[in-house]
């Protein structure tokens, strides 16, 4: 059974979760939990505790409502929409936090002596994290969902409850803004 | 040394056009982030699960009778057990289970809000080529036995005639595995 369980589609796992199958729900979240958490933390300006709360709230809602999930969208898209909504609620509850000057001065660069590849990769990711914090919310969400989570424009539109055309525009601006902020990494 | 963003390797690269170089840096950064698993998630995932599973789904209570007296079972519990039992039947996958109910008689346990189960509709996806009539009989028998175990004598209204089995879909492969319709 264990081998078969690993082969099950997201749709089968979501349906079984709807019947109250905890193992199926754990497997479904096991596939996407790390991505959902990564998205939540970046949308909440790197606050891991807030990201954890958002994912937990979203998964709780998913667990409660999976019994009525009809599969109109992919389970992964649906889970991202729940997390996106929780992130939006969390942002509305808390006042926007200004970007810390200290944070900006700590943006890692690749200038100076040649670093090891691992260090470059880690620094590049950290620099991206800092750059993402400076992006407007919808641009950040669109870019994360497209470039990191590799959702289609239609799926992103569904997650963010907008149109694919708007997503396309947000992505265009996000790429330009990020390119500016990551200029020193060229 | 200038990192080669297009390949992700930290090696010297030729000089591409500025725009494509921006795109390459961002693509590389996105790839790094995609590969990265936040340690915090690894630490808290089990705790998140345990909290999530404390949430209960709202569900109607149903009347049941044990040898020691009456009790209530939620519809959610009945559906969950039914699904698990039918899952043991090969070549079919439960798509939906609908529990039909009626209000209890006036002399029943008034005020509890619990209803009496009068029938069950089981919707299935079956593997292409499966002979349907024996499968339907097997599912009906399995479901009836389970209902009797769950509701005791209150299951008497759920007769064979009230146990509907509906073959709603057919799949080429194993319906218990499925394929994601939404995959790109």
């Amino acid at each position: 059974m264990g081998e078969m369980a690993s082969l099950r589609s997201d749709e089968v796992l979501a349906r079984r979760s709807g019947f109250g199958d905890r193992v199926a729900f754990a497997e479904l979240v096991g596939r996407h939990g790390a991505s959902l958490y990564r998205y939540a933390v970046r949308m909440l300006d790197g606050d891991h505790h807030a990201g954890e709360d958002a994912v937990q709230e979203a998964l709780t809602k998913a667990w409660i409502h999976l019994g009525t999930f009809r599969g109109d969208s992919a389970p992964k898209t649906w889970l991202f929409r729940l997390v996106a909504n929780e992130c939006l609620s969390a942002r509305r509850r808390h006042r926007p936090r200004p970007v810390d000057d200290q944070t900006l001065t700590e943006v890692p660069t690749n200038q100076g002596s040649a670093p090891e590849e691992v260090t470059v990769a880690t620094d590049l990711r950290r620099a991206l994290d800092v750059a993402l914090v400076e992006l407007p919310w919808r641009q950040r969400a669109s870019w994360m969902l497209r470039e990191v989570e590799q959702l289609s424009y239609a799926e992103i539109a569904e997650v963010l409850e907008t149109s694919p055309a708007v997503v396309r525009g947000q992505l265009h601006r996000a790429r330009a803004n990020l390119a500016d902020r990551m200029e020193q990494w060229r | 040394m200038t990192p080669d963003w297009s390949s992700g390797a930290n090696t010297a690269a030729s000089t591409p056009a500025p725009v494509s170089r921006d795109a390459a840096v961002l693509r590389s950064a996105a790839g790094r982030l995609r590969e990265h698993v936040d340690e915090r998630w690894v630490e808290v995932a089990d705790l998140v699960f345990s909290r999530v599973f404390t949430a209960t789904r709202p569900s109607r209570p149903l009347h049941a009778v044990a040898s020691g007296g009456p009790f209530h079972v939620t519809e959610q519990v009945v559906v969950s057990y039914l699904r698990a039992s039918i899952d043991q039947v090969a070549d079919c996958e439960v798509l939906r289970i609908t529990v039909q109910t009626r209000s209890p008689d006036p002399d029943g346990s008034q005020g509890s809000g619990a209803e009496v189960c009068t029938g069950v509709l089981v919707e299935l996806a079956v593997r292409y080529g499966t002979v349907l009539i024996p499968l339907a009989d097997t599912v009906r028998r399995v479901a009836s036995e389970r209902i009797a175990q769950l509701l005791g004598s209150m299951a008497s209204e759920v007769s064979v005639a009230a146990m509907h089995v509906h073959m709603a879909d057919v799949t080429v492969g194993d319906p218990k595995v499925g394929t994601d319709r939404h995959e790109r």
Side-chain angles (χ1 to χ4, degrees), chain B residues 59-98:
Chain B
S59 182
R60 303 184 283 184
L62 301 175
H63 281 293
V65 178
S67 57
F71 66 103
H72 295 155
V73 184
T74 66
E75 182 180 341
Q76 168 65 34
V77 169
V78 170
V79 166
S80 181
Y81 274 83
L82 271 177
R83 203 280 307 172
S85 295
I86 299 169
D87 193 42
Q88 302 305 310
V89 180
D91 297 324
C92 71
E93 168 79 357
V94 178
L95 298 178
R96 195 176 306 173
I97 295 176
T98 308

Side-chain angles (χ1 to χ4, degrees), chain A residues 42 45 125 127-136 139-141 143-144 148 178 181-182, chain B residues 33:
Chain A
R42 270 73 195 179
D45 302 343
R125 179 174 53 73
L128 175 64
D129 277 340
V130 173
L132 282 169
V133 170
E134 299 175 319
L135 280 191
Q139 286 183 33
R140 194 190 318 178
W143 191 87
M144 281 291 297
V148 180
L178 280 176
R181 285 161 174 78
M182 303 283 286
Chain B
L33 186 52

Side-chain angles (χ1 to χ4, degrees), chain B residues 2-15:
Chain B
T2 306
D4 178 3
W5 301 119
S6 58
S7 67
N10 185 20
T11 55
S14 57
T15 310

Side-chain angles (χ1 to χ4, degrees), chain A residues 8-11 16-19 21 37-38 42 52 56 63 71 115 147-148 150 155 185-186, chain B residues 5 10 22 33-34 36 38 40 51 53 57 80 83 87 93-94 176-177 180-182 184:
Chain A
R8 286 192 176 118
S9 68
D10 280 4
E11 289 183 350
R16 286 172 172 242
S17 303
F19 285 121
D21 185 338
Y37 182 78
R38 177 171 54 216
R42 270 73 195 179
E52 181 185 327
Q56 183 179 305
W63 175 244
E147 304 295 347
V148 180
Q150 300 186 306
E155 288 171 325
W185 283 83
R186 276 184 207 160
Chain B
W5 301 119
N10 185 20
D22 282 340
L33 186 52
R34 194 180 312 122
H36 175 71
D38 289 299
R40 177 76 183 159
R51 288 174 183 158
F53 286 140
R57 298 172 179 172
S80 181
R83 203 280 307 172
D87 193 42
E93 168 79 357
V94 178
K176 295 185 195 301
V177 174
D180 279 322
R181 286 182 289 130
H182 299 281
R184 295 188 303 281

